[in-house]
Amino acid sequence: MGPVRRRRRRKKPADDLSLGNDGVLPVEILYEVLLRLPANATCRLRLVCRSWRSLTSDPVFTQAHSSRHPLLAGVSDHEVRVVDLLSGDTVRRMAPAERPRYGMNSQLDVVCVSAMSTHERSSLLNPATGEVITTFLPGSRERGEEIMSPFLLGHIPSTGELKVFYSHMRSDRDGFLVQTCYVATLIGSGGSRRWRATPRPPVLISSWPQDSVVIAGVAYILSSLQYSQRDLHTDLEPDAMAVYNLAKEEWKPAPLRGPLSSRLDAAADEKKLVYHEHRDDVRLAVMDGCLVTVHHNRCQDCLMDLWFLVDMDIDKGLWTKRYSVQCAGPCEMYASTSSSSYPLLVLDDGRIATWEERTGVVRVYDPRTSKWDDIATLENYFSVNIYRGNLLCPGLQS
C-alpha cells in the first residue's frame, strides 16, 4: 500500500492575504493602510507577494484609492509629472519627445503635450504604462503661421477615437486676423493621422490653454483675446464660446452664450457686458463632468463664480451658479486671470481644489467655512490638468 497523500485545502482569498502579511494585520486593516499610500509606493508593494498584488490590482481597491488620491498631470522642467493633488508628491515622471511648449491637456488616461516649435514633435503619453503612444507634427508649418494654439485632445465616446485639434492665426494683407483649424485622428479609424482642414469657427477662438475644454467629444473654446474691432461680430459677448463637434468635425453655427450675458438678458436695468472690459475675467474648466465658466468677479468682493452648464443641450444653454468662492487674497494681487486661482476639482468632502498659477500653490476652499488651506506647492509648473487615468490599473478611469 502506497503512502497516503493528504489533499491540500484550497486557500480562500482572506487566507492568502493573511499569509502574505504573516498574520500581523487583519485584511480590513491592511486594506485601509494600503489605501493611504501614494500610487508609486502602492505599485512597489505589489512585489511583496501575490496576495498584495491581487488586492492592489482589484478594480474596487483602485477606484477607492483614486478617490482618496486625486492626481494632477503637469509640465515642469521639460518633463510631464503626475502629482498626488493632496500631498504634492510626484508619483510618475515621463519625458515627451520634444521640449514642451505651453500647452498640455488630458482625456481618459492619456496626456497630450504640445512641443515648443511647430517643427518639433508633440507627444501623446500614457502615464499609467509609461508609454509614449505616438508623436506628431502640425499640419501647417509655414512661416508667419506659428501663432498656434496648443493641441486639444478629445475622446469620441461613440467610436472610441482620440482626435487632436489645433488652430493658428495670422494677419491678411488688409490687417485682418485670419484663423484656420485642423483636426487629425491619432487613435482609431485605422490609425490614420492625416490632418484635415476644418471650417473656420464662427468667431476667432482663443489659443490660451485655459480657454478651451473637451467634454464627451465636444470642444468648447472661448473667443480670442486678440479680437479686433475691425473684424466681424463687434457685438461679441465676453463669455461667448465656439462649439466644435469632434465626431462630426463641424462647428455649431452660432457661439454658445455664457452665463453672464445670458443672465443680463433677463435684467432690463443692467447694461450689456462690454467685451474688452470683461473678456479677461472669464475662463473655462471641467468639474463633475460639467462645462464650467469661471468668472473672476472683481467688482463684487473679488469672488470667483463657478457657473455650471446643467443641461448639455447647448441650444438651451441653461447655466447655474453652484459656487461663489471668496478669493484667497486682495483683488489687487490678481491683475488678470492668468495669475488667478483656477478650479480643478470638487473633492469628496465638498471642498474645491484650485491651482494658484502666480505662486504655484494648490489650495482648497471650504464653502461651509469660507476658509482656504494650502496643501501643496508645485514650483515651475506652467500647465496642469486633473489626470483621470488610474496608475494602479491602466485603462480604468477615475
Side-chain angles (χ1 to χ4, degrees):
M1 182 175 178
V4 177
R5 295 183 180 178
R6 294 183 178 180
R7 181 178 297 176
R8 290 188 177 181
R9 181 174 64 89
R10 188 173 182 179
K11 298 183 181 69
K12 298 178 181 178
D15 296 329
D16 291 337
L17 290 173
S18 179
L19 288 173
N21 195 40
D22 292 330
V24 175
L25 290 176
V27 176
E28 296 78 7
I29 296 179
L30 174 63
Y31 185 93
E32 289 298 324
V33 170
L34 294 176
L35 275 183
R36 284 166 169 75
L37 298 177
N40 54 341
T42 305
C43 287
R44 290 196 298 269
L45 287 174
R46 287 177 171 174
L47 301 176
V48 171
C49 61
R50 286 181 298 177
S51 58
W52 283 29
R53 181 178 182 84
S54 176
L55 171 63
T56 57
S57 301
D58 184 271
V60 174
F61 175 88
T62 56
Q63 288 282 20
H65 189 277
S66 293
S67 67
R68 293 199 186 190
H69 299 271
L71 299 174
L72 282 177
V75 179
S76 177
D77 298 329
H78 315 316
E79 66 179 5
V80 174
R81 299 180 185 178
V82 179
V83 178
D84 190 309
L85 174 67
L86 299 182
S87 69
D89 295 334
T90 299
V91 296
R92 189 64 54 90
R93 300 172 185 263
M94 292 189 70
E98 303 281 356
R99 180 180 176 184
R101 189 169 60 166
Y102 65 98
M104 180 211 68
N105 70 304
S106 61
Q107 289 278 299
L108 304 179
D109 53 359
V110 179
V111 173
C112 182
V113 185
S114 299
M116 285 290 292
S117 165
T118 57
H119 295 270
E120 295 177 330
R121 290 189 172 273
S122 297
S123 302
L124 197 65
L125 313 173
N126 187 334
T129 63
E131 174 189 8
V132 178
I133 298 173
T134 189
T135 61
F136 54 92
L137 290 166
S140 176
R141 300 186 295 279
E142 300 177 15
R143 294 196 174 193
E145 293 189 345
E146 296 199 3
I147 304 177
M148 276 181 52
S149 69
F151 291 103
L152 189 60
L153 183 67
H155 171 251
I156 315 299
S158 60
T159 63
E161 294 173 311
L162 279 173
K163 293 186 178 182
V164 67
F165 167 94
Y166 79 95
S167 66
H168 63 69
M169 199 181 308
R170 58 183 174 81
S171 297
D172 62 15
R173 294 179 179 179
D174 298 321
F176 288 91
L177 294 174
V178 177
Q179 191 166 46
T180 53
C181 305
Y182 294 88
V183 64
T185 304
L186 297 184
I187 297 178
S189 297
S192 173
R193 292 183 290 172
R194 178 179 57 85
W195 288 104
R196 302 176 289 278
T198 194
R200 293 180 182 176
V203 295
L204 295 177
I205 55 175
S206 174
S207 60
W208 184 250
Q210 292 180 352
D211 286 346
S212 59
V213 297
V214 179
I215 304 173
V218 178
Y220 302 86
I221 310 174
L222 286 169
S223 57
S224 174
L225 285 171
Q226 296 172 289
Y227 186 81
S228 171
Q229 288 284 9
R230 295 183 304 164
D231 293 321
L232 301 175
H233 307 293
T234 54
D235 60 345
L236 187 66
E237 294 158 336
D239 55 351
M241 60 196 81
V243 180
Y244 183 72
N245 188 313
L246 283 160
K248 297 180 180 180
E249 299 185 8
E250 63 184 25
W251 296 95
K252 185 177 181 289
L256 171 65
R257 300 190 69 194
L260 309 180
S261 50
S262 299
R263 174 176 169 270
L264 289 183
D265 268 358
D269 57 336
E270 295 189 65
K271 66 177 183 179
K272 179 181 175 63
L273 292 175
V274 180
Y275 180 89
H276 288 281
E277 289 184 9
H278 298 278
R279 172 60 184 84
D280 197 44
D281 296 337
V282 180
R283 290 291 182 262
L284 297 182
V286 179
M287 302 178 75
D288 289 343
C290 296
L291 172 65
V292 176
T293 294
V294 183
H295 177 217
H296 288 267
N297 193 343
R298 308 176 202 286
C299 299
Q300 295 184 7
D301 300 323
C302 195
L303 297 175
M304 179 172 64
D305 294 332
L306 304 183
W307 294 83
F308 285 64
L309 186 63
V310 294
D311 190 333
M312 293 308 289
D313 183 347
I314 57 179
D315 292 323
K316 295 180 180 179
L318 300 178
W319 298 89
T320 183
K321 183 166 64 175
R322 290 189 183 174
Y323 302 98
S324 194
V325 179
Q326 181 68 53
C327 293
C331 286
E332 57 266 25
M333 291 176 61
Y334 306 104
S336 70
T337 48
S338 62
S339 60
S340 299
S341 296
Y342 180 76
L344 297 169
L345 182 70
V346 179
L347 300 173
D348 289 345
D349 60 6
R351 293 181 301 163
I352 302 169
T354 68
W355 164 248
E356 185 69 51
E357 296 172 289
R358 184 181 61 85
T359 59
V361 175
V362 178
R363 292 190 168 110
V364 291
Y365 176 79
D366 191 335
R368 296 162 296 188
T369 62
S370 300
K371 292 184 178 179
W372 288 88
D373 288 311
D374 295 355
I375 56 176
T377 299
L378 307 178
E379 296 181 353
N380 303 319
Y381 281 73
F382 61 85
S383 182
V384 298
N385 285 165
I386 289 294
Y387 176 67
R388 304 189 186 281
N390 196 306
L391 298 183
L392 300 181
C393 188
L396 186 68
Q397 303 309 306
S398 301

